[in-house]
Amino acid sequence: MNRTTLSLIAVATALAAVTGFAAVSAPDPVDSTATAKTPARLPVERSSLLCPAPSTSELAETVYTSFTPAGTTGAGTGGAAELAPSAAPLTDTDPADDEKKTDEDKAKDDEAKDDKAKAPADGADAKVKPFLALKEPGKPVSGTKKGADAPALVGAATGPLAPGWTAQQTTTVTAGDSRGLLGMTCTAPGTDFWFPGASTDKSRQDYVHLTNPDDTAAVADIALYGKEGTLKSDTGEGIPVPARSSVPVLLSTLTGEAEPNVTVHVSTRTGRVGAVVNATEEKTGGDWLAASADAAPRAVLPGIPGDATSVRLVVFAPGEDDAELKVQLAGKSGTIVPSSAAEPLNVKSGMTASLDLGDVTKGEAGAVRIGPAEGGRETPVVAALRVVRGKGDNQEVAFIPATGPVTERATVADNRAKGSTLTLTAPEKSAKVKVTASAGSGGGEQVVKTYTVKGGTTLAVTPPVPAGLKGSYALTVEPESGGPVHAARALAVTQDGVPMFTVQTLPDDRGMVSVPATKEDLSVLK
């Protein structure tokens, strides 16, 4: 054996000694070429919800309902889900209001401040004491607040109460400009929201409610877009939203341009907020307009009542490209192109377009589908519907934003023994859907029912009611097989001949998240 051979053996032996641990720990050759493991699906550990101040009417009565679906595997034990008044008082961003106050009004304000200063500071301040606390999954809790002093609510859920946690606020106003049934699903905080379907018209009073859940201030911008593009505004930028407070901003004070169809864009420079639009019309009452689903080339707007007398589609293209859209109606028997939408809807980039569809449902509940016209490009859009029921002086309005499909589960609270309608739309393939009616807030046993929705149709049903129901209950929708499903719930109450109603869409609750598989990697120590 020559000297060169001995040297090579010595080097190999030394390397083996140094790298021995890595060699022992290395995966098998088969494992080194295997594909990455599928991320685990685990329940979220914390959820946040924000409910705006419901009304300024002394005749308002608001019902709050909080609910978390039962049966989430791996959610653990314990936890809490509480909604509490925001710590700061509800304020308006229009300083002109202070100038209009009389000496008597200012004296009342000073008295209120004195009362607040004298309030006990025992660590359980009345301002943040929970208004509504959920104790267990599967059973809703509800509370009622009357009058105009109901504040915005800020809430969080943890542990097994976090996955799928939802809260509904439903307000009944029997008279005045805002009369009607105003319903909304309390929203999660975010940094970017689109609201097609708002208005700065003289017949409308639209407020954007900005609610800050955090202990630090947020700064928001509000941009308005009409049929010709951006509406001029000197006061829509840099709107401060103090910590744990809610600020309503009247849209007509942001611009001098009055337009019936406006798209509102809310974004934050710092912090995060919950955002929703409260719209009031002179002759048709009012309701909440929730944010549209993320901009996409195709959209579904479910939940149009069969007896709708007027439906208006409002669309906005936030990108750099124009959109040419085919508008369809998915009804009980199939999907059609309404005569009012015979021509494609052209939506210019940065401009708001609208299309009056009239009484498009013709007695059958349905959903509007929009997508690229034949030969058109895939241009992302946001959209919403303005829907009216009734005629003459007995009209009521509601709004339906574009909503994504229920991929795993979606829930809506505050369903009642009478007046609730669930609509399920399968825009592509047929789908099988499980619907669970929870126990009632005051008692009752849950009921489960399965529905089949044919492809290209909308199925409207009176949802199952819990056995022995007392109070209100929640509905949970879970697709079991087939194509995507979009869902909405309508709640209707007739008051003095007015067909009051509100529609809430059911986007996926995102109660489960993907957590990538991890393994030890010693290379990070190099």
Side-chain angles (χ1 to χ4, degrees):
M1 184 177 291
N2 59 31
R3 184 175 299 174
T4 302
T5 304
L6 289 172
S7 299
L8 289 173
I9 292 173
V11 171
T13 303
L15 286 174
V18 172
T19 61
F21 178 78
V24 171
S25 302
D28 295 334
V30 175
D31 290 337
S32 64
T33 59
T35 57
K37 292 182 180 180
T38 303
R41 297 288 292 171
L42 299 177
V44 298
E45 297 179 351
R46 181 180 176 85
S47 298
S48 298
L49 291 177
L50 308 172
C51 312
S55 179
T56 57
S57 173
E58 292 295 341
L59 301 175
E61 179 174 313
T62 302
V63 177
Y64 298 90
T65 308
S66 174
F67 177 78
T68 295
T72 301
T73 303
T77 59
E82 298 177 342
L83 286 169
S86 57
L90 190 65
T91 57
D92 202 318
T93 59
D94 189 355
D97 287 349
D98 288 333
E99 298 177 3
K100 298 175 184 177
K101 289 184 177 180
T102 64
D103 291 339
E104 183 178 353
D105 291 332
K106 293 177 180 178
K108 289 181 178 179
D109 289 348
D110 292 338
E111 183 179 353
K113 291 178 182 177
D114 290 341
D115 290 342
K116 183 182 294 185
K118 296 175 183 177
D122 58 0
D125 193 313
K127 292 180 297 181
V128 295
K129 182 179 180 181
F131 170 74
L132 208 59
L134 186 64
K135 301 297 183 182
E136 59 181 311
K139 182 180 179 181
V141 295
S142 63
T144 302
K145 181 69 176 179
K146 296 182 179 180
D149 62 344
L153 300 181
V154 176
T158 58
L161 294 173
W165 182 46
T166 187
Q168 166 89 9
Q169 72 173 42
T170 308
T171 304
T172 304
V173 181
T174 55
D177 289 341
S178 60
R179 68 108 174 94
L181 190 65
L182 298 82
M184 68 160 292
T185 301
C186 298
T187 61
T191 59
D192 194 81
F193 307 85
W194 289 97
F195 300 94
S199 177
T200 59
D201 193 73
K202 294 180 179 179
S203 64
R204 287 268 291 266
Q205 292 282 306
D206 284 19
Y207 286 85
V208 177
H209 286 249
L210 306 174
T211 305
N212 179 1
D214 300 319
D215 294 329
T216 56
V219 178
D221 293 333
I222 300 177
L224 307 178
Y225 301 89
K227 63 180 180 180
E228 299 297 333
T230 305
L231 301 184
K232 295 180 180 179
S233 174
D234 297 325
T235 56
E237 297 183 349
I239 299 172
V241 187
R244 293 185 62 85
S245 71
S246 189
V247 175
V249 182
L250 181 60
L251 294 185
S252 59
T253 64
L254 301 181
T255 180
E257 300 181 54
E259 291 206 24
N261 303 301
V262 169
T263 298
V264 179
H265 183 213
V266 174
S267 58
T268 61
R269 299 184 182 187
T270 60
R272 56 181 189 158
V273 297
V276 66
V277 174
N278 181 272
T280 300
E281 300 186 2
E282 286 183 357
K283 296 182 179 180
T284 56
D287 207 346
W288 294 98
L289 168 61
S292 171
D294 293 340
R298 293 169 177 77
V300 177
L301 300 90
I304 309 172
D307 60 353
T309 53
S310 175
V311 177
R312 180 193 301 161
L313 172 65
V314 183
V315 186
F316 180 78
E320 297 181 355
D321 297 325
D322 298 345
E324 192 171 11
L325 301 174
K326 182 178 183 179
V327 180
Q328 300 174 292
L329 177 74
K332 180 179 179 179
S333 304
T335 300
I336 63 169
V337 175
S339 58
S340 51
E343 297 296 325
L345 176 63
N346 189 269
V347 186
K348 297 290 186 181
S349 170
M351 301 181 186
T352 298
S354 63
L355 177 64
D356 284 319
L357 299 171
D359 57 343
V360 64
T361 53
K362 304 294 183 183
E364 296 181 355
V368 166
R369 295 175 56 187
I370 57 176
E374 186 174 352
R377 64 176 64 189
E378 300 268 330
T379 303
V381 297
V382 291
L385 298 173
R386 172 187 175 273
V387 181
V388 175
R389 293 176 68 218
K391 297 180 179 180
D393 294 333
N394 296 327
Q395 295 185 73
E396 164 74 326
V397 68
F399 299 90
I400 302 174
T403 187
V406 183
T407 55
E408 292 186 61
R409 183 180 64 184
T411 300
V412 62
D414 194 14
N415 297 278
R416 304 169 187 184
K418 295 182 179 180
S420 296
T421 301
L422 177 67
T423 58
L424 304 169
T425 299
E428 300 171 9
K429 300 178 181 178
S430 296
K432 186 178 179 181
V433 180
K434 182 176 77 172
V435 176
T436 302
S438 75
S441 56
E445 299 294 329
Q446 80 167 31
V447 175
V448 179
K449 192 168 183 178
T450 301
Y451 299 94
T452 298
V453 190
K454 295 181 180 180
T457 71
T458 292
L459 176 66
V461 298
T462 299
V465 177
L469 172 66
K470 293 182 180 179
S472 62
Y473 66 101
L475 285 172
T476 299
V477 175
E478 299 173 272
E480 292 192 327
S481 62
V485 174
H486 300 253
R489 187 282 314 272
L491 188 63
V493 176
T494 300
Q495 179 79 34
D496 297 328
V498 178
M500 297 181 179
F501 78 116
T502 183
V503 179
Q504 279 72 58
T505 56
L506 279 73
D508 193 85
D509 65 20
R510 299 181 181 178
M512 304 291 287
V513 293
S514 296
V515 180
T518 60
K519 66 177 182 179
E520 211 174 63
D521 184 1
L522 297 179
S523 65
V524 300
L525 301 178
K526 292 182 180 180

